[in-house]
Amino acid sequence: MNFLRGVMGGQSAGPQHTEAETIQKLCDRVASSTLLDDRRNAVRALKSLSKKYRLEVGIQAMEHLIHVLQTDRSDSEIIGYALDTLYNIISNDEEEEVEENSTRQSEDLGSQFTEIFIKQQENVTLLLSLLEEFDFHVRWPGVKLLTSLLKQLGPQVQQIILVSPMGVSRLMDLLADSREVIRNDGVLLLQALTRSNGAIQKIVAFENAFERLLDIITEEGNSDGGIVVEDCLLLLQNLLKNNNSNQNFFKEGSYIQRMKPWFEVGDENSGWSAQKVTNLHLMLQLVRVLVSPTNPPGATSSCQKAMFQCGLLQQLCTILMATGVPADILTETINTVSEVIRGCQVNQDYFASVNAPSNPPRPAIVVLLMSMVNERQPFVLRCAVLYCFQCFLYKNQKGQGEIVSTLLPSTIDATGNSVSAGQLLCGGLFSTDSLSNWCAAVALAHALQENATQKEQLLRVQLATSIGNPPVSLLQQCTNILSQGDKIDRRGSKIQTRVGLLMLLCTWLSNCPIAVTHFLHNSANVPFLTGQIAENLGEEEQLVQGLCALLLGISIYFNDNSLESYMKEKLKQLIEKRIGKENFIEKLGFISKHELYSRASQKPQPNFPSPEYMIFDHEFTKLVKELEGVITKAIYKSSEEDKKEEEVKKTLEQHDNIVTHYKNMIREQDLQLEELRQQVSTLKCQNEQLQTAVTQQVSQIQQHKDQYNLLKIQLGKDNQHQGSYSEGAQMNGIQPEEISRLREEIEELKRNQEILQSQLTEKDSVIENLKSSQTSGTNEQSSAIASARDFEEVAELKQELATLKSQLNSQSVEITKLQTEKQELLQKTEAFAKSAEVQGESETVIATKTTDVEGRLSALLQETKELKNEIKALSEERTAIKEQLDSSNSTIAILQTEKDKLELEITDSKKEQDDLLVLLADQDQKILSLKNKLKDLGHPVEEEDELESGDQEDEDDESEDPGKDLDHI
């Protein structure tokens, strides 16, 4: 304690000698008194002295107070006094802030006493155990003391609590305390505990902190609640900010859905108190924590989708379009909506459909852009609108196309009743306010970001500068304003307008050779850029020089050499003569060395303290990093290296073409394989169906055999007992007719079978002839003709096969009829047996006629057996015919596939001929153009055909002025 005595000795106004003695006596009483009342009174007296004589009480009484906490836990009153005394010693009360010196001294004392207290880690563990006491006079002072310890030496106390058994869990119980004072101070304690400690943040989150905190916010009235809601929101921010694990847990626990009621402000203006503004501001910041661009992309995307699905984005857009919202809440809401829709196509599409409640309704994007280009609006609000527009276009090619389309001539409203986004951007781009120029240029650059199609479309935009003058392209107008420099009187920064236009042009020309050609087509642009770079200007103009060097470098790197006067090599020679390569690279480096460049490259949000700092855009800094190195290499490259690079590019393109060709072939083969697999599956199904049909027929035959055996047994028994002559005569009268009819049908079936067999042999011979004729073909044309003939014969074969199938079906029907007639015969036989039992004749008559009936029955059985054999033979012949039909079908399929292959080869040869004709036409075109150029240069050229030269002159006249079509558009 020597350092404390030194501090005590340095005090200007120390306590009197009597107070020091009193504190010493009280400490002795606490240490030596045996009665609890005496110790309690002494501790209470120390508590009353601890605020005024903080140093003396801390030096002399701290050890005794800690001993009291250890030994007198049974008495809550003395424990409460001891905790209050320690709190007064360690905490820095605001009452002592009378002078600066006393404030600094109190802060030093607080940290020093805290260091003494936590030197023994058991003291913190003891304090955590005291918090388990439900007594208000123990728990509340303990919460305040631990909060003060965390404020003084947070990391050290956090580490002690982290290693303490169940340390964090004990503190989480404070949120469930029914006494609001302890619960609210428990929230403050957890705020200090979770500050900048990811491990404790995870433990607190998994101890169900989100559920409890959201319940407290709901009980307190959401945004209309008091300071308790603010404390809970600050604790939620501590748990979620820069903690991916907790963010994922918050999303998976469906807690995002519980945030929606926070933003149900209502249309009626019920008043915006200062606390409500603070609460809503923190709620919006909490949403931004979940969808921050610095989070992992996957986590941000899932949170964005959840916010759209639960209606949170819709609620934020309602606040955005509401009236009477305070300016700072409106600004933060715009920033929040920006990050909720950034890079999420579904959310961006929804935001594009939001309309402002005006008459007539206007899109929310248009209303926001009106605020951005209005110089009367607050600077912070204009920055927020620009950020919102950037986030709407981020990775949104559909939105970029919609913005650019509002500038094209075909979509501009001729009546002028409605203002489009494109018109607002052009108005801001050419206004006299430099900040509006910069914002509009950056917004338009984001509409072109990584979208070559829209860069080409923007070249079609024409502007009417003044009455009577022809329209000027947007690219030309930008370069005109850039060349005028400071000649136009503008409000704001001198270089802001030029920096914005140069950033727009660099974004526009990068990765777009057509735009580079249009830019170089204006003969004044390159001299202007070289003149700006070559001059020795002040520090303010160095940034403009660097951007001009970047624009000129882009014109070289992305140049396709379509303009003869501004080819890559000529531009490099121009730089070497007028500027010098080293000087050019030095000026190019001015951009990345600028003090505001690194600041803009850190975060996507344009957050500037004042308009003067609004120089660089975040996405543009990425473009500079990407292009600075390649432009430097391109400047130092020789023409031979350029040619080699072009050759490498051509070979790569050829390689890519080959790869795509093989990919297409593989894709086609995959389709063919899929078709074959489907055919195999259908054939398998058909095979299974045929097998089931065969098994059914086998079972039916077995049933017929069983029935026949039963009938035979029954007839044998009946013949031994009795018989009926009249019934037998009736039966004998029916059966011969049936048998004869069956014989005739069988004979007819045999004849039909022989006819079908002869037809099948004829078809097989025709198929063999077709195969031989197909294989004998030599060239592709003759094979194509033969395949056409084969196709006709195959069609005829298909028709004949269809007739054969129909005949087979009819035969199968007749066979089934025979089977049914046989069944009827069997039934009649059973009826005969039953009638023989009913009718009783004399035994003498039965004896005389039994022999006759037995003979006829045996004959009947023999004929039935013969019929069954014939039916069996017919079924076998039917299956053989089916197999022959299947083989003929497969042969026809093979012929069809070979015919398709021949047709594909013919079409491929035709395509190759057409490609050759196109290449020859292009070659003739190039030869004629080269001849014309030689004529213009004065070299003699041999004339070929007058008609061809006349046609070529017409084509040259059409291609003389490539800018006419653009002006026409």
Side-chain angles (χ1 to χ4, degrees), residues 10-25:
Q11 282 184 334
S12 58
Q16 296 181 0
H17 187 63
T18 55
E19 271 72 13
E21 290 179 352
T22 303
I23 292 169
Q24 183 63 43
K25 287 179 182 179

Side-chain angles (χ1 to χ4, degrees), residues 611 811 850 923 961:
Q811 285 182 359
T850 300
Q923 192 68 25
D961 192 0

Side-chain angles (χ1 to χ4, degrees), residues 362-392:
R362 289 179 176 174
I365 298 173
V366 173
V367 176
L368 291 174
L369 287 177
M370 291 171 70
S371 302
M372 186 186 75
V373 298
N374 186 359
E375 54 186 307
R376 296 180 181 178
Q377 294 292 338
F379 172 68
V380 181
L381 179 64
R382 297 173 75 179
C383 290
V385 172
L386 177 61
Y387 185 46
C388 184
F389 192 73
Q390 292 174 353
C391 292
F392 170 68

Side-chain angles (χ1 to χ4, degrees), residues 756-757 759-764 766-767 770 793-809 880-893 895:
L756 291 172
Q757 190 69 32
Q759 290 178 355
L760 280 174
T761 54
E762 290 176 3
K763 302 310 174 190
D764 289 336
V766 171
I767 289 168
L770 288 173
E793 293 178 357
V794 166
E796 293 175 358
L797 284 173
K798 284 184 177 179
Q799 292 178 356
E800 292 176 357
L801 285 171
T803 56
L804 289 174
K805 286 181 180 178
S806 63
Q807 290 176 2
L808 281 174
N809 291 329
I881 290 168
K882 253 189 183 178
E883 290 174 357
Q884 290 176 356
L885 284 172
D886 291 335
S887 64
S888 62
N889 284 331
S890 63
T891 308
I892 290 166
L895 291 172

